[in-house]
Amino acid sequence: MTPPPEPPRDGRRQFSDNPLTWAKDWVRSSPGTHIWLLVIGITSLVIAAASDGLGEFLIHRTSSNIHELNEHPLPSLLISGFWIERPSSFLLYVVMFELLHANVERWTGTTRWLLTVGGAHIAATLASQELVLLAIEGHRLPPSMTHVVDIGVSYGLAAAAGVLTYRLRPPWRYCYLAGVLIFFGIPLLTGATFTDFGHAIALIMGFAAWPLTPAAAAEPPPGDGDGPAEPAAAPPQERQERQERAEPPEGQTAAPESPQAE
């Protein structure tokens, strides 16, 4: 009789040895990631099949730039996360989604993953466009930048990259963290654009999502196990009985009674 398989640790799931079954289990373990990828694939096909004029119109209409945020704030924030500017780069995004989003979603759960990457996408978009607006008002950028193309999924990927730092164990965590900081930090320090600024905001929000991760839930509370344990207080009823019997507290011996003179 063979022993039962060891249960998965750290939120990991066991997958079948059959490649098709494995792929199905992988997709089912991260449904939000693959639904998002499916929508991006459809919109990429639409852009690829459209004429140049229609494709340009769709890209600008679905951008979350200053003009669209003023005209259609909620739809532009939502829709801009489902389009990419170059459909030819779709396969690259598939790889990035599987490496980052799928692993983070499987680890934290769909709700927390969506809360993290969705919040980072919205915050990074608003912050970067506010930077563009300030530059226009300061005459450092032309007014035409209010219609700049600002679509894509890179802000969500940056947030997922930040969360994934906590999934790795040392020393791999520190190597990965150094690579992430270099990847997003070099463009920010060398002629940063509003998109680079948005990536930095999203990455910081990914780092700040530590309380939503299983690693934070598994961490013992501060002070747990530090110092000697204090003795438990005696129940009130027991204390009352001791007082009635005039018993000394625990740890003390009663004084011997003096002999009475006869």
Side-chain angles (χ1 to χ4, degrees):
M1 182 176 180
T2 58
E6 182 182 358
R9 295 174 295 176
D10 300 333
R12 299 173 185 169
R13 304 186 185 186
Q14 293 179 335
F15 293 97
S16 171
D17 294 333
N18 187 304
L20 293 179
T21 305
W22 183 92
K24 183 188 298 185
D25 292 342
W26 176 264
V27 172
R28 292 177 62 183
S29 69
S30 50
T33 297
H34 293 91
I35 292 174
W36 195 357
L37 265 179
L38 177 62
V39 177
I40 294 174
I42 294 173
T43 58
S44 298
L45 288 176
V46 171
I47 293 294
S51 62
D52 293 340
L54 179 58
E56 192 74 14
F57 169 78
L58 290 174
I59 288 177
H60 282 84
R61 183 63 179 80
T62 56
S63 291
S64 51
N65 51 40
I66 296 174
H67 173 76
E68 293 298 331
L69 286 174
N70 287 331
E71 296 293 330
H72 317 93
L74 292 180
S76 63
L77 282 173
L78 177 64
I79 297 174
S80 62
F82 293 97
W83 295 76
I84 55 178
E85 191 170 358
R86 289 185 292 273
S88 59
S89 60
F90 175 70
L91 292 180
L92 174 62
Y93 282 108
V94 170
V95 174
M96 299 301 295
F97 267 59
E98 299 295 349
L99 291 176
L100 298 175
H101 281 311
N103 280 293
V104 172
E105 183 181 2
R106 289 180 62 237
W107 185 45
T108 63
T110 300
T111 301
R112 295 183 178 186
W113 162 80
L114 184 59
L115 179 64
T116 302
V117 300
H121 170 77
I122 294 174
T125 298
L126 294 177
S128 61
Q129 289 304 311
E130 180 66 22
L131 183 65
V132 173
L133 180 61
L134 292 175
I136 293 174
E137 293 176 348
H139 305 287
R140 294 187 299 272
L141 287 176
S144 60
M145 287 293 290
T146 56
H147 297 271
V148 67
V149 174
D150 186 21
I151 61 174
V153 297
S154 58
Y155 294 155
L157 285 171
V163 177
L164 197 60
T165 305
Y166 306 118
R167 183 71 176 91
L168 304 175
R169 295 180 179 179
W172 305 111
R173 174 183 297 175
Y174 308 122
C175 297
Y176 172 82
L177 177 61
V180 167
L181 292 177
I182 291 173
F183 181 83
F184 289 104
I186 289 179
L188 190 64
L189 298 175
T190 57
T193 64
F194 72 92
T195 304
D196 299 325
F197 179 76
H199 288 157
I201 294 293
L203 181 65
I204 293 173
M205 292 193 65
F207 290 147
W210 156 259
L212 300 179
T213 65
E219 188 177 74
D224 188 18
D226 296 339
E230 297 181 358
Q237 183 178 0
E238 183 177 345
R239 292 199 303 268
Q240 183 178 0
E241 292 176 355
R242 287 177 179 175
Q243 293 175 357
E244 292 176 355
R245 296 195 306 266
E247 290 183 1
E250 291 182 4
Q252 297 182 9
T253 58
E257 297 181 359
S258 59
Q260 297 179 355
E262 296 181 356

